[in-house]
Amino acid sequence: MEEQQAYLDIKRARRNLVLGLIAAIAAIDGAVFFTAGSEIEAIVSDISRVGTVCAAAALSLVVVRRQKVGGLFGRAYAALAAGLMLWVVAESIWAYYELGLGIGAHTTSIADVFWISGYGPFAYHLLSTARFFGKGLKRSAIAIVGVAAALFLAFYIQTLVGVFELEGPGALATLAISIVYPVLDALLIVPAVLIVMNAGKGQLTSIPWIFIGWILLVLADSMLGVAAASDMSEVFHITMAYNAAYLCFAAGLLWYNRQFIISDKKLVNW
């Protein structure tokens, strides 16, 4: 009876988290969508991105404070927190560039240094947790996802070069930065996709939120790279993708904090 009640409580909590995540994405991205093309588009977009990544970073710090940094998951989530903090700095700098300095959306900046630096700790988190959650994965699945990622990367770079329209002294730097991101994304999308494919084996998690967040981030980066290379003016849909990704990170961290740290659940059940 107690085990059945515990299962029902977990199921109810998971349902509430899904509904809360959907509501948060709808509310925040709805504001971005309905202000697109208006005078306050940049304000809403930048504030929403900074706010969502700050929410994820704050929850990651809560996890680190309660879990500490020992063991596989302690180190992995400390790395995740480090990466998110670097991206908080990056998003904040970029918001200042756009809102404070009035610099266009396709200019390389010091923010790129922090965004790219975040990939190091993110890679540690993804690869170390993938070793745990990826148990049972077939080599054929790993090979298929790896080849698919490589083919997508090759196609994407070819497309990026094909639509490149910028000119001037910063053009090549913009193109180089636009290529760096998908290369790094391709390295991390493989474990993310594999874990999503391997999800659903435990009672505590039906959807690996953080890994889904990474898939959305790769999608957003891909769109942003093309937008930057082609000098596209409408980028509100890219902001919406980033917001959804950051909120998925926040949902995963909230679930991890409640079900594994506060409730002292065993990780093997995830």
Side-chain angles (χ1 to χ4, degrees), residues 21-69:
L21 176 61
I22 293 173
I25 293 175
I28 295 173
D29 278 350
V32 173
F33 178 80
F34 287 112
T35 57
S38 70
E39 295 180 354
I40 62 172
E41 175 183 356
I43 297 175
V44 174
S45 293
D46 287 329
I47 289 178
S48 67
R49 285 200 317 274
V50 172
T52 50
V53 74
C54 280
L59 285 167
S60 71
L61 293 176
V62 171
V63 168
V64 172
R65 182 176 65 84
R66 289 177 171 166
Q67 181 177 245
K68 310 305 178 187
V69 294

mmCIF file of all heavy atoms in Angstrom, residues 21-69:
data_model
loop_
_atom_site.group_PDB
_atom_site.id
_atom_site.type_symbol
_atom_site.label_atom_id
_atom_site.label_comp_id
_atom_site.label_asym_id
_atom_site.label_seq_id
_atom_site.Cartn_x
_atom_site.Cartn_y
_atom_site.Cartn_z
ATOM 1 N N LEU A 21 5.532 23.259 -16.541
ATOM 2 C CA LEU A 21 6.503 23.572 -17.590
ATOM 3 C C LEU A 21 5.795 24.095 -18.837
ATOM 4 O O LEU A 21 6.221 25.097 -19.425
ATOM 5 C CB LEU A 21 7.316 22.330 -17.928
ATOM 6 C CG LEU A 21 8.313 22.465 -19.079
ATOM 7 C CD1 LEU A 21 9.363 23.525 -18.761
ATOM 8 C CD2 LEU A 21 8.984 21.116 -19.364
ATOM 9 N N ILE A 22 4.713 23.436 -19.232
ATOM 10 C CA ILE A 22 3.958 23.884 -20.403
ATOM 11 C C ILE A 22 3.417 25.289 -20.195
ATOM 12 O O ILE A 22 3.486 26.149 -21.089
ATOM 13 C CB ILE A 22 2.811 22.897 -20.713
ATOM 14 C CG1 ILE A 22 3.374 21.552 -21.169
ATOM 15 C CG2 ILE A 22 1.883 23.465 -21.777
ATOM 16 C CD1 ILE A 22 2.326 20.465 -21.338
ATOM 17 N N ALA A 23 2.890 25.538 -18.988
ATOM 18 C CA ALA A 23 2.331 26.861 -18.698
ATOM 19 C C ALA A 23 3.412 27.938 -18.723
ATOM 20 O O ALA A 23 3.191 29.039 -19.250
ATOM 21 C CB ALA A 23 1.642 26.844 -17.332
ATOM 22 N N ALA A 24 4.584 27.628 -18.169
ATOM 23 C CA ALA A 24 5.674 28.600 -18.143
ATOM 24 C C ALA A 24 6.161 28.922 -19.551
ATOM 25 O O ALA A 24 6.379 30.083 -19.902
ATOM 26 C CB ALA A 24 6.820 28.070 -17.289
ATOM 27 N N ILE A 25 6.333 27.872 -20.364
ATOM 28 C CA ILE A 25 6.774 28.095 -21.745
ATOM 29 C C ILE A 25 5.734 28.899 -22.514
ATOM 30 O O ILE A 25 6.071 29.832 -23.263
ATOM 31 C CB ILE A 25 7.043 26.751 -22.450
ATOM 32 C CG1 ILE A 25 8.266 26.055 -21.817
ATOM 33 C CG2 ILE A 25 7.271 26.951 -23.942
ATOM 34 C CD1 ILE A 25 8.535 24.669 -22.368
ATOM 35 N N ALA A 26 4.453 28.550 -22.335
ATOM 36 C CA ALA A 26 3.383 29.253 -23.050
ATOM 37 C C ALA A 26 3.327 30.722 -22.653
ATOM 38 O O ALA A 26 3.169 31.605 -23.507
ATOM 39 C CB ALA A 26 2.040 28.576 -22.775
ATOM 40 N N ALA A 27 3.473 31.003 -21.355
ATOM 41 C CA ALA A 27 3.379 32.383 -20.876
ATOM 42 C C ALA A 27 4.554 33.223 -21.361
ATOM 43 O O ALA A 27 4.380 34.325 -21.899
ATOM 44 C CB ALA A 27 3.303 32.401 -19.352
ATOM 45 N N ILE A 28 5.766 32.704 -21.178
ATOM 46 C CA ILE A 28 6.960 33.479 -21.523
ATOM 47 C C ILE A 28 7.126 33.599 -23.029
ATOM 48 O O ILE A 28 7.354 34.693 -23.559
ATOM 49 C CB ILE A 28 8.198 32.854 -20.874
ATOM 50 C CG1 ILE A 28 8.094 32.949 -19.349
ATOM 51 C CG2 ILE A 28 9.471 33.542 -21.355
ATOM 52 C CD1 ILE A 28 9.180 32.222 -18.598
ATOM 53 N N ASP A 29 7.013 32.487 -23.730
ATOM 54 C CA ASP A 29 7.154 32.546 -25.185
ATOM 55 C C ASP A 29 5.967 33.238 -25.840
ATOM 56 O O ASP A 29 6.098 33.815 -26.933
ATOM 57 C CB ASP A 29 7.334 31.145 -25.758
ATOM 58 C CG ASP A 29 8.773 30.669 -25.640
ATOM 59 O OD1 ASP A 29 9.641 31.488 -25.287
ATOM 60 O OD2 ASP A 29 9.034 29.479 -25.894
ATOM 61 N N GLY A 30 4.814 33.199 -25.182
ATOM 62 C CA GLY A 30 3.668 33.944 -25.692
ATOM 63 C C GLY A 30 3.942 35.436 -25.677
ATOM 64 O O GLY A 30 3.596 36.158 -26.627
ATOM 65 N N ALA A 31 4.572 35.907 -24.607
ATOM 66 C CA ALA A 31 4.927 37.323 -24.520
ATOM 67 C C ALA A 31 5.922 37.693 -25.613
ATOM 68 O O ALA A 31 5.824 38.769 -26.224
ATOM 69 C CB ALA A 31 5.506 37.630 -23.140
ATOM 70 N N VAL A 32 6.892 36.801 -25.876
ATOM 71 C CA VAL A 32 7.872 37.056 -26.936
ATOM 72 C C VAL A 32 7.182 37.097 -28.295
ATOM 73 O O VAL A 32 7.441 37.985 -29.119
ATOM 74 C CB VAL A 32 8.972 35.966 -26.928
ATOM 75 C CG1 VAL A 32 9.896 36.129 -28.132
ATOM 76 C CG2 VAL A 32 9.781 36.030 -25.642
ATOM 77 N N PHE A 33 6.296 36.150 -28.532
ATOM 78 C CA PHE A 33 5.615 36.057 -29.829
ATOM 79 C C PHE A 33 4.740 37.281 -30.096
ATOM 80 O O PHE A 33 4.772 37.861 -31.196
ATOM 81 C CB PHE A 33 4.768 34.780 -29.876
ATOM 82 C CG PHE A 33 3.987 34.617 -31.143
ATOM 83 C CD1 PHE A 33 4.605 34.133 -32.285
ATOM 84 C CD2 PHE A 33 2.637 34.947 -31.202
ATOM 85 C CE1 PHE A 33 3.882 33.975 -33.472
ATOM 86 C CE2 PHE A 33 1.916 34.795 -32.376
ATOM 87 C CZ PHE A 33 2.546 34.313 -33.510
ATOM 88 N N PHE A 34 3.944 37.682 -29.108
ATOM 89 C CA PHE A 34 2.980 38.758 -29.333
ATOM 90 C C PHE A 34 3.614 40.148 -29.329
ATOM 91 O O PHE A 34 2.965 41.115 -29.743
ATOM 92 C CB PHE A 34 1.861 38.686 -28.287
ATOM 93 C CG PHE A 34 0.913 37.552 -28.511
ATOM 94 C CD1 PHE A 34 0.858 36.485 -27.626
ATOM 95 C CD2 PHE A 34 0.082 37.533 -29.625
ATOM 96 C CE1 PHE A 34 -0.011 35.426 -27.849
ATOM 97 C CE2 PHE A 34 -0.786 36.478 -29.849
ATOM 98 C CZ PHE A 34 -0.830 35.421 -28.966
ATOM 99 N N THR A 35 4.865 40.248 -28.880
ATOM 100 C CA THR A 35 5.555 41.542 -28.960
ATOM 101 C C THR A 35 6.529 41.594 -30.128
ATOM 102 O O THR A 35 7.218 42.601 -30.310
ATOM 103 C CB THR A 35 6.316 41.831 -27.649
ATOM 104 O OG1 THR A 35 7.238 40.756 -27.384
ATOM 105 C CG2 THR A 35 5.352 41.975 -26.482
ATOM 106 N N ALA A 36 6.611 40.515 -30.904
ATOM 107 C CA ALA A 36 7.513 40.494 -32.068
ATOM 108 C C ALA A 36 7.130 41.594 -33.042
ATOM 109 O O ALA A 36 5.965 41.775 -33.374
ATOM 110 C CB ALA A 36 7.448 39.133 -32.757
ATOM 111 N N GLY A 37 8.130 42.340 -33.495
ATOM 112 C CA GLY A 37 7.893 43.427 -34.431
ATOM 113 C C GLY A 37 7.502 44.737 -33.788
ATOM 114 O O GLY A 37 7.382 45.750 -34.479
ATOM 115 N N SER A 38 7.306 44.727 -32.468
ATOM 116 C CA SER A 38 6.928 45.957 -31.778
ATOM 117 C C SER A 38 8.161 46.674 -31.245
ATOM 118 O O SER A 38 9.288 46.188 -31.350
ATOM 119 C CB SER A 38 5.979 45.638 -30.618
ATOM 120 O OG SER A 38 6.676 44.951 -29.582
ATOM 121 N N GLU A 39 7.946 47.830 -30.631
ATOM 122 C CA GLU A 39 9.045 48.613 -30.094
ATOM 123 C C GLU A 39 9.693 47.952 -28.875
ATOM 124 O O GLU A 39 10.835 48.259 -28.537
ATOM 125 C CB GLU A 39 8.559 50.017 -29.717
ATOM 126 C CG GLU A 39 8.094 50.845 -30.913
ATOM 127 C CD GLU A 39 7.625 52.220 -30.506
ATOM 128 O OE1 GLU A 39 7.562 52.479 -29.278
ATOM 129 O OE2 GLU A 39 7.323 53.041 -31.393
ATOM 130 N N ILE A 40 8.971 47.079 -28.221
ATOM 131 C CA ILE A 40 9.507 46.447 -27.011
ATOM 132 C C ILE A 40 9.966 45.012 -27.258
ATOM 133 O O ILE A 40 10.226 44.270 -26.315
ATOM 134 C CB ILE A 40 8.466 46.469 -25.861
ATOM 135 C CG1 ILE A 40 7.212 45.666 -26.266
ATOM 136 C CG2 ILE A 40 8.109 47.885 -25.485
ATOM 137 C CD1 ILE A 40 6.230 45.485 -25.112
ATOM 138 N N GLU A 41 10.067 44.627 -28.523
ATOM 139 C CA GLU A 41 10.474 43.249 -28.835
ATOM 140 C C GLU A 41 11.815 42.896 -28.205
ATOM 141 O O GLU A 41 11.965 41.847 -27.565
ATOM 142 C CB GLU A 41 10.559 43.045 -30.349
ATOM 143 C CG GLU A 41 11.085 41.661 -30.736
ATOM 144 C CD GLU A 41 11.242 41.478 -32.226
ATOM 145 O OE1 GLU A 41 10.879 42.392 -32.991
ATOM 146 O OE2 GLU A 41 11.729 40.403 -32.644
ATOM 147 N N ALA A 42 12.821 43.751 -28.400
ATOM 148 C CA ALA A 42 14.161 43.465 -27.880
ATOM 149 C C ALA A 42 14.155 43.388 -26.358
ATOM 150 O O ALA A 42 14.827 42.536 -25.769
ATOM 151 C CB ALA A 42 15.141 44.531 -28.345
ATOM 152 N N ILE A 43 13.389 44.269 -25.721
ATOM 153 C CA ILE A 43 13.330 44.277 -24.254
ATOM 154 C C ILE A 43 12.744 42.970 -23.741
ATOM 155 O O ILE A 43 13.308 42.324 -22.850
ATOM 156 C CB ILE A 43 12.496 45.475 -23.753
ATOM 157 C CG1 ILE A 43 13.167 46.795 -24.154
ATOM 158 C CG2 ILE A 43 12.304 45.401 -22.245
ATOM 159 C CD1 ILE A 43 12.341 48.020 -23.812
ATOM 160 N N VAL A 44 11.606 42.569 -24.303
ATOM 161 C CA VAL A 44 10.944 41.336 -23.859
ATOM 162 C C VAL A 44 11.819 40.121 -24.151
ATOM 163 O O VAL A 44 11.965 39.224 -23.304
ATOM 164 C CB VAL A 44 9.572 41.193 -24.539
ATOM 165 C CG1 VAL A 44 8.946 39.839 -24.207
ATOM 166 C CG2 VAL A 44 8.651 42.318 -24.115
ATOM 167 N N SER A 45 12.419 40.071 -25.329
ATOM 168 C CA SER A 45 13.249 38.924 -25.706
ATOM 169 C C SER A 45 14.459 38.790 -24.794
ATOM 170 O O SER A 45 14.754 37.705 -24.284
ATOM 171 C CB SER A 45 13.698 39.067 -27.161
ATOM 172 O OG SER A 45 12.603 38.963 -28.042
ATOM 173 N N ASP A 46 15.185 39.891 -24.584
ATOM 174 C CA ASP A 46 16.394 39.822 -23.770
ATOM 175 C C ASP A 46 16.079 39.520 -22.308
ATOM 176 O O ASP A 46 16.756 38.711 -21.670
ATOM 177 C CB ASP A 46 17.171 41.137 -23.874
ATOM 178 C CG ASP A 46 17.859 41.287 -25.209
ATOM 179 O OD1 ASP A 46 18.243 40.260 -25.798
ATOM 180 O OD2 ASP A 46 18.017 42.431 -25.682
ATOM 181 N N ILE A 47 15.059 40.167 -21.780
ATOM 182 C CA ILE A 47 14.690 39.930 -20.380
ATOM 183 C C ILE A 47 14.218 38.489 -20.194
ATOM 184 O O ILE A 47 14.528 37.851 -19.176
ATOM 185 C CB ILE A 47 13.603 40.923 -19.931
ATOM 186 C CG1 ILE A 47 14.212 42.331 -19.818
ATOM 187 C CG2 ILE A 47 13.009 40.499 -18.588
ATOM 188 C CD1 ILE A 47 13.212 43.397 -19.428
ATOM 189 N N SER A 48 13.482 37.962 -21.159
ATOM 190 C CA SER A 48 12.986 36.589 -21.029
ATOM 191 C C SER A 48 14.135 35.593 -21.035
ATOM 192 O O SER A 48 14.149 34.633 -20.246
ATOM 193 C CB SER A 48 11.985 36.267 -22.143
ATOM 194 O OG SER A 48 12.621 36.230 -23.409
ATOM 195 N N ARG A 49 15.127 35.787 -21.919
ATOM 196 C CA ARG A 49 16.270 34.865 -21.963
ATOM 197 C C ARG A 49 17.103 34.943 -20.689
ATOM 198 O O ARG A 49 17.491 33.911 -20.133
ATOM 199 C CB ARG A 49 17.155 35.155 -23.177
ATOM 200 C CG ARG A 49 16.610 34.703 -24.491
ATOM 201 C CD ARG A 49 17.710 34.571 -25.546
ATOM 202 N NE ARG A 49 18.627 35.692 -25.504
ATOM 203 C CZ ARG A 49 18.441 36.846 -26.138
ATOM 204 N NH1 ARG A 49 17.344 37.029 -26.846
ATOM 205 N NH2 ARG A 49 19.350 37.804 -26.060
ATOM 206 N N VAL A 50 17.363 36.169 -20.227
ATOM 207 C CA VAL A 50 18.136 36.315 -18.988
ATOM 208 C C VAL A 50 17.363 35.701 -17.823
ATOM 209 O O VAL A 50 17.933 35.016 -16.972
ATOM 210 C CB VAL A 50 18.450 37.799 -18.722
ATOM 211 C CG1 VAL A 50 19.083 37.966 -17.339
ATOM 212 C CG2 VAL A 50 19.391 38.350 -19.787
ATOM 213 N N GLY A 51 16.055 35.943 -17.785
ATOM 214 C CA GLY A 51 15.250 35.426 -16.684
ATOM 215 C C GLY A 51 15.184 33.907 -16.649
ATOM 216 O O GLY A 51 15.316 33.289 -15.581
ATOM 217 N N THR A 52 15.010 33.271 -17.822
ATOM 218 C CA THR A 52 14.895 31.812 -17.840
ATOM 219 C C THR A 52 16.226 31.135 -17.524
ATOM 220 O O THR A 52 16.255 30.131 -16.803
ATOM 221 C CB THR A 52 14.360 31.329 -19.201
ATOM 222 O OG1 THR A 52 15.122 31.917 -20.261
ATOM 223 C CG2 THR A 52 12.894 31.696 -19.368
ATOM 224 N N VAL A 53 17.332 31.670 -18.042
ATOM 225 C CA VAL A 53 18.618 31.048 -17.736
ATOM 226 C C VAL A 53 18.994 31.297 -16.280
ATOM 227 O O VAL A 53 19.622 30.444 -15.635
ATOM 228 C CB VAL A 53 19.726 31.544 -18.693
ATOM 229 C CG1 VAL A 53 20.156 32.963 -18.366
ATOM 230 C CG2 VAL A 53 20.936 30.614 -18.648
ATOM 231 N N CYS A 54 18.598 32.446 -15.724
ATOM 232 C CA CYS A 54 18.850 32.704 -14.299
ATOM 233 C C CYS A 54 18.068 31.738 -13.416
ATOM 234 O O CYS A 54 18.571 31.282 -12.383
ATOM 235 C CB CYS A 54 18.481 34.146 -13.955
ATOM 236 S SG CYS A 54 19.726 35.371 -14.394
ATOM 237 N N ALA A 55 16.836 31.419 -13.835
ATOM 238 C CA ALA A 55 16.034 30.464 -13.066
ATOM 239 C C ALA A 55 16.711 29.103 -13.038
ATOM 240 O O ALA A 55 16.797 28.448 -11.981
ATOM 241 C CB ALA A 55 14.638 30.359 -13.673
ATOM 242 N N ALA A 56 17.208 28.660 -14.201
ATOM 243 C CA ALA A 56 17.906 27.376 -14.258
ATOM 244 C C ALA A 56 19.183 27.408 -13.433
ATOM 245 O O ALA A 56 19.487 26.460 -12.692
ATOM 246 C CB ALA A 56 18.223 27.021 -15.709
ATOM 247 N N ALA A 57 19.941 28.499 -13.524
ATOM 248 C CA ALA A 57 21.194 28.608 -12.775
ATOM 249 C C ALA A 57 20.940 28.631 -11.275
ATOM 250 O O ALA A 57 21.676 28.001 -10.493
ATOM 251 C CB ALA A 57 21.945 29.866 -13.208
ATOM 252 N N ALA A 58 19.904 29.344 -10.845
ATOM 253 C CA ALA A 58 19.587 29.410 -9.415
ATOM 254 C C ALA A 58 19.239 28.029 -8.869
ATOM 255 O O ALA A 58 19.686 27.641 -7.782
ATOM 256 C CB ALA A 58 18.431 30.388 -9.195
ATOM 257 N N LEU A 59 18.445 27.271 -9.623
ATOM 258 C CA LEU A 59 18.089 25.920 -9.182
ATOM 259 C C LEU A 59 19.308 25.004 -9.166
ATOM 260 O O LEU A 59 19.418 24.123 -8.304
ATOM 261 C CB LEU A 59 17.011 25.349 -10.098
ATOM 262 C CG LEU A 59 15.604 25.923 -9.890
ATOM 263 C CD1 LEU A 59 14.682 25.546 -11.048
ATOM 264 C CD2 LEU A 59 15.025 25.441 -8.564
ATOM 265 N N SER A 60 20.233 25.208 -10.104
ATOM 266 C CA SER A 60 21.447 24.387 -10.105
ATOM 267 C C SER A 60 22.294 24.663 -8.872
ATOM 268 O O SER A 60 22.906 23.750 -8.306
ATOM 269 C CB SER A 60 22.264 24.639 -11.377
ATOM 270 O OG SER A 60 22.872 25.914 -11.359
ATOM 271 N N LEU A 61 22.327 25.917 -8.423
ATOM 272 C CA LEU A 61 23.080 26.261 -7.220
ATOM 273 C C LEU A 61 22.425 25.668 -5.976
ATOM 274 O O LEU A 61 23.125 25.271 -5.027
ATOM 275 C CB LEU A 61 23.191 27.782 -7.084
ATOM 276 C CG LEU A 61 24.050 28.478 -8.153
ATOM 277 C CD1 LEU A 61 24.006 29.987 -7.965
ATOM 278 C CD2 LEU A 61 25.489 27.979 -8.111
ATOM 279 N N VAL A 62 21.092 25.612 -5.980
ATOM 280 C CA VAL A 62 20.381 24.965 -4.869
ATOM 281 C C VAL A 62 20.762 23.486 -4.796
ATOM 282 O O VAL A 62 21.024 22.936 -3.719
ATOM 283 C CB VAL A 62 18.859 25.121 -5.031
ATOM 284 C CG1 VAL A 62 18.117 24.268 -4.006
ATOM 285 C CG2 VAL A 62 18.460 26.582 -4.884
ATOM 286 N N VAL A 63 20.804 22.837 -5.956
ATOM 287 C CA VAL A 63 21.194 21.421 -6.010
ATOM 288 C C VAL A 63 22.606 21.228 -5.491
ATOM 289 O O VAL A 63 22.873 20.326 -4.691
ATOM 290 C CB VAL A 63 21.076 20.886 -7.456
ATOM 291 C CG1 VAL A 63 21.749 19.521 -7.588
ATOM 292 C CG2 VAL A 63 19.608 20.779 -7.865
ATOM 293 N N VAL A 64 23.536 22.067 -5.926
ATOM 294 C CA VAL A 64 24.929 21.946 -5.491
ATOM 295 C C VAL A 64 25.045 22.169 -3.996
ATOM 296 O O VAL A 64 25.773 21.443 -3.298
ATOM 297 C CB VAL A 64 25.822 22.945 -6.257
ATOM 298 C CG1 VAL A 64 27.223 22.970 -5.672
ATOM 299 C CG2 VAL A 64 25.885 22.574 -7.735
ATOM 300 N N ARG A 65 24.326 23.158 -3.474
ATOM 301 C CA ARG A 65 24.404 23.447 -2.037
ATOM 302 C C ARG A 65 23.889 22.278 -1.209
ATOM 303 O O ARG A 65 24.456 21.942 -0.170
ATOM 304 C CB ARG A 65 23.606 24.705 -1.712
ATOM 305 C CG ARG A 65 23.660 25.120 -0.238
ATOM 306 C CD ARG A 65 22.923 26.418 -0.010
ATOM 307 N NE ARG A 65 21.500 26.294 -0.259
ATOM 308 C CZ ARG A 65 20.628 25.839 0.642
ATOM 309 N NH1 ARG A 65 21.049 25.430 1.838
ATOM 310 N NH2 ARG A 65 19.341 25.775 0.353
ATOM 311 N N ARG A 66 22.848 21.636 -1.654
ATOM 312 C CA ARG A 66 22.259 20.539 -0.885
ATOM 313 C C ARG A 66 22.954 19.205 -1.138
ATOM 314 O O ARG A 66 23.069 18.383 -0.235
ATOM 315 C CB ARG A 66 20.763 20.419 -1.237
ATOM 316 C CG ARG A 66 19.941 21.576 -0.687
ATOM 317 C CD ARG A 66 18.500 21.485 -1.106
ATOM 318 N NE ARG A 66 17.690 22.470 -0.394
ATOM 319 C CZ ARG A 66 16.453 22.819 -0.723
ATOM 320 N NH1 ARG A 66 15.876 22.261 -1.779
ATOM 321 N NH2 ARG A 66 15.787 23.707 -0.019
ATOM 322 N N GLN A 67 23.403 18.991 -2.341
ATOM 323 C CA GLN A 67 24.012 17.712 -2.690
ATOM 324 C C GLN A 67 25.510 17.692 -2.432
ATOM 325 O O GLN A 67 26.103 16.630 -2.275
ATOM 326 C CB GLN A 67 23.739 17.403 -4.168
ATOM 327 C CG GLN A 67 24.296 16.072 -4.645
ATOM 328 C CD GLN A 67 23.915 15.812 -6.091
ATOM 329 O OE1 GLN A 67 23.172 14.885 -6.378
ATOM 330 N NE2 GLN A 67 24.413 16.613 -7.010
ATOM 331 N N LYS A 68 26.143 18.870 -2.411
ATOM 332 C CA LYS A 68 27.608 19.014 -2.314
ATOM 333 C C LYS A 68 28.238 18.549 -3.641
ATOM 334 O O LYS A 68 27.556 18.356 -4.637
ATOM 335 C CB LYS A 68 28.172 18.253 -1.113
ATOM 336 C CG LYS A 68 27.449 18.546 0.208
ATOM 337 C CD LYS A 68 27.398 20.026 0.528
ATOM 338 C CE LYS A 68 26.630 20.266 1.824
ATOM 339 N NZ LYS A 68 26.424 21.728 2.084
ATOM 340 N N VAL A 69 29.529 18.369 -3.640
ATOM 341 C CA VAL A 69 30.221 18.098 -4.912
ATOM 342 C C VAL A 69 30.957 16.757 -4.893
ATOM 343 O O VAL A 69 31.834 16.516 -5.726
ATOM 344 C CB VAL A 69 31.209 19.238 -5.245
ATOM 345 C CG1 VAL A 69 30.466 20.530 -5.508
ATOM 346 C CG2 VAL A 69 32.237 19.413 -4.134
#
